[in-house]
């Protein structure tokens, strides 16, 4: 059977000051009427039933996750005692699913992305599921790039002049490039954005982890005998303490011999920062995005979110996010640095604002 695993443990520090440790980005309504987590859950409809959708999140967010997704059983929310990036997260979920259904096919996807064309997205995922079912390959979803983006990783694949909706062999993975390299990637025609969405048999991913990430595999193999017992929490705690902090991309995908990618174009964005929200939002005739009680005068191309009256005069290309206890003001081209400011506050006695 097909199972969905929503990875929901991130903090979303580039979305400060709205995204905080107590309620990170995936639990917020960023665009639309649903939180990003709820939207991710709903887009798996027709692909996996509610009883087959699991969430992996930090244990501090387990209750919040259950509140936002009452459709799934409490035991389908897996709490991580500490954050160790995506490889341990996926290992925990894969071990859990393997104990339940050794033949399970797992769709692992971030819980904080935006997808506008749900039908196209589901069509791509169905192709990926079939590729994972009929082969022992690791399958990922690549996004057809629309511009030379420097904030995404890239996937090079065996492209064809006439493409169809199918899985193609992956040639290489590339880290986030500089602008010149991104332009070259775009011109070559055989690079895709790395979406961070994966599909595989649980047996396949566990086998690849055993080869490429033995420390992670061994740590979670030890919890198998403790699942659904009073010893599980202690076993999971020990497994995470033993694990290195490593992503599934670097730990497995870039090292595996057989990796396939299904190219897709379905209105995807990882909504990684405030500029992405600005780009995706409806604007007035001056290019401003105004939410809450915001007034702008002789200002253009600004994004303003106000919890009270906020007035901007003579400002251009600015991000202003107002919350009851903190205000962010930055240039739209500097939004990637918000994460660095959050790190600075954490290190200088301002943890209460993080």
């Amino acid at each position: 059977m097909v199972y969905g695993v929503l990875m929901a443990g991130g903090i979303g520090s580039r979305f400060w000051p709205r995204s905080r440790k107590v309620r990170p980005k995936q639990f917020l309504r960023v665009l639309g009427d649903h939180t990003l987590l709820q939207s991710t859950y709903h887009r798996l409809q027709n692909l996996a039933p509610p009883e087959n959708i699991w969430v992996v999140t930090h244990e501090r967010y387990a209750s919040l996750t259950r509140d936002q997704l009452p459709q799934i059983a409490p035991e389908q929310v897996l709490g991580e005692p500490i954050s160790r990036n995506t490889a341990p997260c996926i290992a925990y979920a894969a071990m859990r699913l393997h104990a339940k259904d050794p033949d399970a096919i797992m769709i692992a996807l971030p819980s904080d992305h935006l997808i506008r064309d749900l039908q196209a997205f589901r069509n791509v995922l169905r192709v990926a599921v079939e590729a994972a079912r009929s082969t022992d390959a690791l399958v990922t979803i690549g996004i057809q790039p629309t511009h030379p983006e420097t904030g995404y990783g890239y996937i090079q694949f065996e492209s064809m002049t006439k493409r169809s909706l199918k899985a193609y062999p992956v040639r290489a993975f590339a880290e986030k490039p500089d602008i010149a390299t991104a332009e070259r990637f775009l011109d070559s025609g055989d690079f895709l954005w790395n979406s961070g969405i994966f599909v595989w048999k649980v047996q396949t991913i566990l086998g690849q982890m055993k080869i490429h990430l033995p420390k992670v595999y061994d740590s979670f193999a030890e919890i198998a005998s403790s699942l659904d017992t009073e010893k599980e929490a202690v076993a999971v705690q020990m497994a995470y303490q033993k694990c290195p902090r490593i992503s599934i991309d670097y730990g497995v995908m870039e090292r595996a011999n057989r990796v396939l990618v299904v190219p897709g174009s379905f209105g995807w964005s990882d909504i990684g920062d405030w500029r992405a929200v600005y780009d995706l939002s409806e604007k007035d005739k001056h290019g401003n995005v105004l939410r809450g009680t915001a007034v702008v005068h002789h200002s253009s191309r600004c994004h303003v979110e106000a919890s009270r009256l906020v007035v901007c005069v003579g400002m251009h290309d600015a991000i202003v996010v107002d919350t009851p206890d903190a205000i962010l003001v930055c240039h739209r081209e500097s939004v990637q640095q918000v994460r660095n400011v959050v790190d600075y506050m954490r290190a200088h006695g301002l943890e209460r604002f993080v």
Side-chain angles (χ1 to χ4, degrees), residues 278-297:
Y278 171 83
D279 290 341
L280 293 164
S281 298
E282 186 174 346
K283 302 167 185 65
D284 66 16
K285 63 181 181 180
H286 300 294
N288 295 310
V289 176
L290 306 178
R291 294 177 179 169
T293 310
V295 175
V296 294
H297 182 68

Side-chain angles (χ1 to χ4, degrees), residues 21-313:
K21 188 175 181 179
V22 294
R23 187 179 290 263
K25 165 186 164 189
Q26 60 270 26
F27 300 106
L28 302 176
R29 292 180 178 87
V30 177
L31 292 166
D33 297 328
H34 296 98
T35 68
L36 294 174
L37 174 67
Q38 291 169 333
S39 296
T40 306
Y41 169 83
H42 289 307
R43 70 177 61 113
L44 286 180
Q45 290 180 0
N46 302 324
L47 293 168
E51 61 270 21
N52 285 10
I53 298 178
W54 294 63
V55 181
V56 185
T57 187
H58 194 285
E59 60 186 19
R60 73 168 68 96
Y61 308 130
S63 177
L64 184 56
T65 299
R66 296 185 186 107
D67 289 343
Q68 291 203 358
L69 298 179
Q71 307 93 327
I72 67 176
E75 59 269 21
Q76 290 167 235
V77 179
L78 305 181
E80 297 182 289
I82 51 179
S83 298
R84 283 289 188 260
N85 214 317
T86 52
C89 164
I90 287 171
Y92 184 17
M95 284 290 180
R96 248 342 197 118
L97 293 183
H98 188 268
K100 178 181 176 64
D101 180 1
D103 297 320
I105 294 176
M106 172 179 170
I107 302 171
L109 66 169
S111 61
D112 56 357
H113 290 181
L114 172 72
I115 290 173
R116 294 192 179 277
D117 190 338
L118 290 183
Q119 188 57 54
F121 170 75
R122 290 166 179 158
N123 290 341
V124 168
L125 269 193
R126 289 188 181 97
V127 171
V129 166
E130 185 54 39
R133 179 182 285 120
S134 59
T135 69
D136 288 325
L138 303 175
V139 185
T140 187
I141 307 300
I143 308 300
Q144 189 65 49
T146 57
H147 59 277
E149 174 62 52
T150 60
Y152 300 151
Y154 283 72
I155 301 170
Q156 186 181 30
F157 70 115
E158 292 187 9
S159 179
M160 307 176 87
T161 303
K162 185 176 182 180
R163 297 179 189 171
S164 57
L165 186 53
K166 57 178 283 187
Y168 296 86
V170 169
R171 290 180 176 174
F173 288 84
E175 298 297 324
K176 296 176 182 178
D178 57 29
I179 186 62
T181 304
E183 290 172 348
R184 180 168 56 83
F185 286 170
L186 198 68
D187 291 341
S188 71
D190 61 350
F191 280 85
L192 305 166
W193 288 336
N194 188 347
S195 71
I197 301 172
F198 309 101
V199 184
W200 41 48
K201 297 174 185 173
V202 291
Q203 292 180 345
T204 301
I205 187 59
L206 289 174
Q208 290 296 305
M209 283 188 166
K210 189 173 184 179
I211 295 170
H212 301 293
L213 287 177
K215 287 185 178 180
V216 174
Y217 176 86
D218 291 343
S219 297
F220 284 94
E222 294 176 5
I223 75 170
S225 61
S226 303
L227 295 176
D228 297 317
T229 73
E230 67 278 3
K231 298 180 180 179
E232 181 177 347
V234 174
V236 170
Q237 176 78 37
M238 293 179 62
Y240 272 87
Q241 288 177 346
K242 293 178 182 178
C243 271
R245 185 186 299 272
I246 189 169
S247 71
I248 195 69
D249 299 83
Y250 180 76
V252 175
M253 300 300 288
E254 295 180 13
R255 305 176 186 181
N257 292 326
R258 192 170 190 189
V259 181
L260 302 176
V261 62
V262 181
S265 181
F266 36 76
W268 173 89
S269 171
D270 75 344
I271 322 183
D273 52 41
W274 284 112
R275 176 171 178 170
V277 178
Y278 171 83
D279 290 341
L280 293 164
S281 298
E282 186 174 346
K283 302 167 185 65
D284 66 16
K285 63 181 181 180
H286 300 294
N288 295 310
V289 176
L290 306 178
R291 294 177 179 169
T293 310
V295 175
V296 294
H297 182 68
H298 290 299
S299 300
S300 63
R301 302 180 303 278
C302 292
H303 181 102
V304 185
E305 297 208 4
S307 64
R308 53 192 157 179
L309 174 61
V310 173
V311 179
C312 298
V313 179

Side-chain angles (χ1 to χ4, degrees), residues 317-353:
D317 301 299
I319 301 290
V320 181
V321 182
D322 167 59
T323 65
D325 66 341
I327 301 173
L328 168 70
V329 181
C330 74
H331 194 279
R332 278 197 300 122
E333 298 302 321
S334 301
V335 291
Q336 289 285 327
Q337 297 178 35
V338 173
R339 172 184 287 175
N340 300 333
V341 175
V342 171
D343 291 341
Y344 176 89
M345 290 190 293
R346 190 179 288 115
H348 289 79
L350 298 172
E351 180 76 22
R352 67 188 183 279
F353 296 108

